[in-house]
Amino acid sequence: MIPSGFDLTGRTALIAGASSGLGEGFARLLAAAGARVVLGARRVELVEGIAAGLRGAGYQALGVSLDITSESSVIAAFDRGEQEYGTVDTVIANAGVGSGGRSTELTYEDLRRTVDTNLIGTYLVAREAARRMIDGGSRESETGRILFIGSIAALQNHTGDASYAASKAGIAHLTRQFAKEWARQGINVNLIHPGWIETPINAGFSASERGLQDIAALPRKRLQEPSSLDDMVLFLCSDRSRQITGAVFTLDDGQSL
């Protein structure tokens, strides 16, 4: 059920990394709240299937190919969304990857892939979103919404995730940088740092002996539920967040305490 006051009818939202996990959930959430949703991912067959299911349920949804490490792919995804639904005024930059391992052993290729996707790719998505929003009149309407999905890894120091954590910490700075730069253009830029949530990407680790030990060491001895992000996501994408920009929200069920 969508909380009262979070109606997104009339909005067009593009979700990067929408082929599974959190991104797919965000797309379904925003569609249920009334938004026209553009689901983007490299696995285009998956987002096309999800979008078809949403359309079958009566929602407006479109699946597009999106590789956020490619500037041309980012531009093409926004072009396709605009052709179908008009200016994209809401963006959730969720796509990301991680490469685990000790910093002395991480390969250059793994490091490059993590930074190119999580930091540079997020930059490219936000930049293209801002260009389209400004051209679409966001300065006057104040309807531009860009939401980054970070991680509590950016706040912690753990052996084995230096490149991932650094890339997510970089996104936190981009949040404040972009928020200030685009404040007078009617674009709000905010960030959510989720805790550890089981998704198809990390399900194997969560069920492993090491994963179970890590979960048992958390303050509440549990992984966070994906739905725990829903209310804040809807709020930050809605008109009710008009005076919130440059904010970083940690929603982690106390995992970083």
Side-chain angles (χ1 to χ4, degrees):
M1 180 179 295
I2 301 302
S4 176
F6 293 154
D7 185 2
L8 302 183
T9 300
R11 285 191 166 274
T12 297
L14 183 146
I15 299 93
S19 59
S20 65
L22 292 180
E24 177 183 352
F26 296 148
R28 295 184 182 280
L29 177 70
L30 268 58
R36 300 176 288 262
V37 294
V38 181
L39 295 81
R42 288 179 297 180
R43 296 181 294 178
V44 65
E45 70 284 353
L46 292 183
V47 289
E48 286 178 341
I50 296 166
L54 287 171
R55 290 194 299 272
Y59 302 120
Q60 293 180 280
L62 173 71
V64 300
S65 175
L66 174 58
D67 177 357
I68 68 171
T69 67
S70 165
E71 183 178 32
S72 61
S73 178
V74 171
I75 292 171
F78 275 90
D79 283 344
R80 184 71 183 89
E82 283 192 358
Q83 291 168 5
E84 189 74 19
Y85 297 134
T87 300
V88 172
D89 55 26
T90 306
V91 166
I92 299 180
N94 168 74
V97 298
S99 297
R102 289 184 175 275
S103 302
T104 51
E105 300 169 1
L106 194 67
T107 67
Y108 174 82
E109 289 74 21
D110 284 340
L111 176 61
R112 186 81 259 178
R113 182 174 71 98
T114 300
V115 174
D116 283 352
T117 304
N118 296 357
L119 185 58
I120 297 176
T122 296
Y123 189 112
L124 293 177
V125 170
R127 183 182 68 178
E128 191 61 27
R131 288 172 172 171
R132 306 293 177 122
M133 292 174 188
I134 292 168
D135 287 345
S138 62
R139 183 182 182 92
E140 293 73 31
S141 66
E142 297 187 354
T143 55
R145 301 288 184 272
I146 298 175
L147 177 59
F148 293 153
I149 305 301
S151 168
I152 59 169
L155 311 174
Q156 300 173 314
N157 301 303
H158 290 158
T159 297
D161 62 1
S163 63
Y164 177 78
S167 68
K168 292 297 187 178
I171 293 173
H173 186 72
L174 282 184
T175 299
R176 296 183 289 270
Q177 187 78 22
F178 289 157
K180 184 172 183 179
E181 184 174 343
W182 300 330
R184 293 187 180 180
Q185 301 298 331
I187 300 172
N188 291 0
V189 187
N190 294 295
L191 167 73
I192 290 175
H193 279 319
W196 300 109
I197 297 173
E198 185 168 332
T199 67
I201 293 176
N202 64 20
F205 177 76
S206 300
S208 69
E209 182 178 354
R210 171 63 188 277
L212 293 173
Q213 290 174 351
D214 288 350
I215 293 169
L218 295 173
R220 288 182 169 164
K221 302 182 184 300
R222 67 188 184 193
L223 293 177
Q224 184 179 1
E225 296 180 1
S227 61
S228 64
L229 306 178
D230 288 358
D231 287 358
M232 183 62 77
V233 169
L234 286 174
F235 174 64
L236 293 175
C237 290
S238 74
D239 292 341
R240 296 183 67 180
S241 63
R242 186 172 65 88
Q243 295 188 21
I244 298 177
T245 191
V248 175
F249 298 91
T250 300
L251 307 179
D252 68 349
D253 194 31
Q255 291 178 12
S256 60
L257 296 176

